[in-house]
Amino acid sequence: MAAELTPDQTAERLCELSTEVRAAVLLDAAGAPAAVHGVPKEDERELAELARGLFDAVDRAHRDLPGGPPEQVEVQVDAGVVYASRTPRWTLAAVARRTALSSLTLMDLRAVLAELEDGRPIRRSQAAGERTAAAAASEEAAASESPVPELGQDP
Amino acid sequence: MKEKRKGPIGIAADLAQGFSATMRRMQREREPRLLVYDETGYARLVQPNGRGYESLLESAEEMVALVAQAEDDA
């Protein structure tokens, strides 16, 4: 069984999962940085401050939306895109390339947060070429494979 | 229905139209775009004159610049 994801591994995990993500930061419920990946040590605090500022701005402006306070934010600027997603306990923000697909990147953010919160690892399918002899293709194995990461399944 | 222009002037006009449409599209793609999603995944576009637009944009631009700087230095 895969090791449980810890907060300090989360930012790196997102960068690993989503190739378009250049940097990521995880904040705890108090807004303190729990993990930063993709920037040098001296810039980590600044990136975390800016990420916290995103939801501060959202909450000041959009708290009274009919669907409740926003849970995710996407800001496209000239040189890249910033995505952020939050749960009551954690906020995960990412800086991605402009070519990133919003729905996929936001799904990755949610999947990593779910893995952190519930301890359910993201199930990733393997390319046929990566398979070992022990995991030889069979109809049964193929039927169990899914092209998208699935949550809520035992590995 | 709009009558299609024929001949070299028509071709030049079509090319100019295509070019200007491409330029407009590129311009639109470069413009900042802010979206907020509620818990059901419903997206709302934050308009440039909307509340919080400026501060959100400022934070995001600084984040992107910080990461770009880090990549340049690496």
Side-chain angles (χ1 to χ4, degrees):
Chain A
M1 179 170 168
E4 208 167 278
L5 184 68
T6 59
D8 59 310
Q9 299 167 330
T10 305
E12 191 176 353
R13 175 91 168 110
L14 178 67
C15 294
E16 223 176 68
L17 190 69
S18 185
T19 52
E20 298 290 337
V21 171
R22 298 150 73 192
V25 53
L26 179 75
L27 306 173
D28 65 15
V36 183
H37 185 78
V39 292
K41 272 253 174 280
E42 63 268 23
D43 293 333
E44 287 183 354
R45 186 162 286 280
E46 193 181 349
L47 189 68
E49 286 288 322
L50 290 165
R52 192 170 59 190
L54 278 179
F55 272 117
D56 284 349
V58 166
D59 285 339
R60 276 197 303 271
H62 303 281
R63 186 177 286 278
D64 51 352
L65 286 180
E71 286 198 349
Q72 295 180 107
V73 182
E74 173 187 345
V75 186
Q76 298 180 5
V77 296
D78 198 21
V81 191
V82 173
Y83 298 97
S85 185
R86 67 179 169 184
T87 66
R89 288 175 63 197
W90 304 104
T91 297
L92 184 59
V95 176
R97 292 183 183 86
R98 192 69 206 243
T99 48
L101 292 173
S102 301
S103 51
L104 290 183
T105 312
L106 286 168
M107 189 178 79
D108 286 343
L109 261 82
R110 285 198 307 271
V112 171
L113 281 174
E115 189 180 3
L116 175 65
E117 294 235 313
D118 308 334
R120 290 175 298 185
I122 299 166
R123 186 172 167 276
R124 300 178 76 176
S125 298
Q126 270 186 319
E130 291 173 16
R131 283 176 180 275
T132 59
S138 68
E139 269 185 36
E140 247 174 72
S144 70
E145 283 295 336
S146 165
V148 292
E150 288 172 33
L151 301 174
Q153 288 200 354
D154 292 330
Chain B
M1 190 178 149
K2 200 174 164 187
E3 197 177 319
K4 195 157 174 68
R5 286 172 292 213
K6 289 179 183 164
I9 294 178
I11 293 170
D14 285 349
L15 280 173
Q17 251 179 14
F19 179 73
S20 61
T22 303
M23 294 306 287
R24 277 199 303 274
R25 195 173 57 244
M26 284 168 69
Q27 177 69 35
R28 210 167 41 236
E29 281 169 4
R30 273 200 302 268
E31 278 169 13
R33 197 159 167 263
L34 276 67
L35 292 147
V36 292
Y37 300 78
D38 67 19
E39 62 178 329
T40 60
Y42 185 82
R44 284 181 177 80
L45 189 68
V46 183
Q47 298 294 338
N49 57 358
R51 284 181 299 164
Y53 181 91
E54 286 301 328
S55 46
L56 264 174
L57 193 61
E58 200 178 307
S59 295
E61 278 175 342
E62 285 181 45
M63 285 175 82
V64 171
L66 193 69
V67 172
Q69 180 68 45
E71 284 180 344
D72 288 347
D73 293 345

